Amino acid sequence: MKKHLLALALIAATGAANAAVMSYNFSNVEQTTEINQTGALGLFDSTLGTLTGVSLILNGSMTTTIDLSHTSSGSASGRATGQVTLDFFTTLAGLDLSGATIDLTASTGNQTLAPNTVVSFGPLTDSDSVTLSPLTSLFSVAGGGTFGISCESLSGITALGFSGNANAVQASSAACGAEITYTYDAAPPPPAPVPEPTSMALIGLGALGLAAIRRRK
């Protein structure tokens, strides 16, 4: 029984030693909405080993400034919320990103404004990400390579309260990025070359020659 347990422990240790991780990422700087940004991520080189898992993270950020006013008589309360929605697309066949949407929002919070005055709020920011676990078979390619990820934005603003007489304008920017992480079992290193019989014979003859020279001395 002890011998069997030792063998299992050695197998587990060998498997853990072969486990490896690699990742690729890109990020873009924020641009005035609406945006259409792209980036590239690396594919897994199947010659490195067997791919066991893929984690794809899509991320986005927004910054907005909101100018808020109302036109009714007397003071009124309400709030405005700016929104940027990011939709993602890819050049990799078989990878479906149709449900990978990020909704970013930034609010002024509840405010009480005097009539016919404009108040600016910001910069207001938000960021978020979505994590996917797609099929490993889509990413394992001999020699590796790259594939593209892109995003497009739709932005808007809503105002609530102020007796229905609010004016809200936002100036927003946004950006997107992505990161992919591969977990894999690394291929074992090639075995060390075994000397050919001829080479071994030459080495033996050389050793005998050195021994003979030492005896003469």
Side-chain angles (χ1 to χ4, degrees):
M1 178 60 74
K2 290 184 179 179
K3 291 182 179 179
H4 291 301
L5 291 175
L6 179 59
L8 289 174
L10 289 173
I11 292 172
T14 302
N18 288 337
V21 177
M22 68 167 54
S23 64
Y24 303 90
N25 66 79
F26 73 86
S27 59
N28 290 302
V29 298
E30 289 192 4
Q31 297 175 311
T32 301
T33 55
E34 306 301 339
I35 67 169
N36 187 337
Q37 295 183 336
T38 62
L41 297 174
L43 291 166
F44 177 72
D45 183 355
S46 60
T47 63
L48 298 177
T50 302
L51 186 60
T52 57
V54 178
S55 174
L56 175 60
I57 300 175
L58 308 175
N59 55 69
S61 65
M62 70 168 286
T63 301
T64 187
T65 300
I66 297 175
D67 292 337
L68 183 60
S69 65
H70 80 98
T71 57
S72 61
S73 60
S75 298
S77 298
R79 67 175 180 270
T81 302
Q83 180 175 352
V84 174
T85 296
L86 297 175
D87 294 312
F88 289 83
F89 310 89
T90 182
T91 61
L92 183 62
L95 179 59
D96 183 12
L97 298 183
S98 59
T101 298
I102 294 178
D103 292 316
L104 305 170
T105 60
S107 175
T108 63
N110 292 332
Q111 303 292 331
T112 300
L113 302 181
N116 300 313
T117 59
V118 178
V119 180
S120 294
F121 300 88
L124 308 172
T125 62
D126 192 20
S127 61
D128 203 357
S129 64
V130 58
T131 301
L132 307 174
S133 299
L135 294 173
T136 58
S137 58
L138 299 176
F139 302 88
S140 187
V141 179
T146 61
F147 67 99
I149 295 283
S150 62
C151 72
E152 295 178 0
S153 71
L154 292 174
S155 61
I157 189 169
T158 58
L160 300 175
F162 304 111
S163 303
N165 298 303
N167 291 322
V169 179
Q170 78 167 341
S172 61
S173 61
C176 67
E179 178 178 6
I180 194 164
T181 300
Y182 299 120
T183 55
Y184 64 100
D185 290 333
V194 178
E196 297 178 1
T198 303
S199 300
M200 293 295 291
L202 291 174
I203 292 171
L205 289 173
L208 290 173
L210 287 174
I213 292 171
R214 287 173 180 169
R215 289 196 195 98
R216 290 175 184 172
K217 289 182 177 180

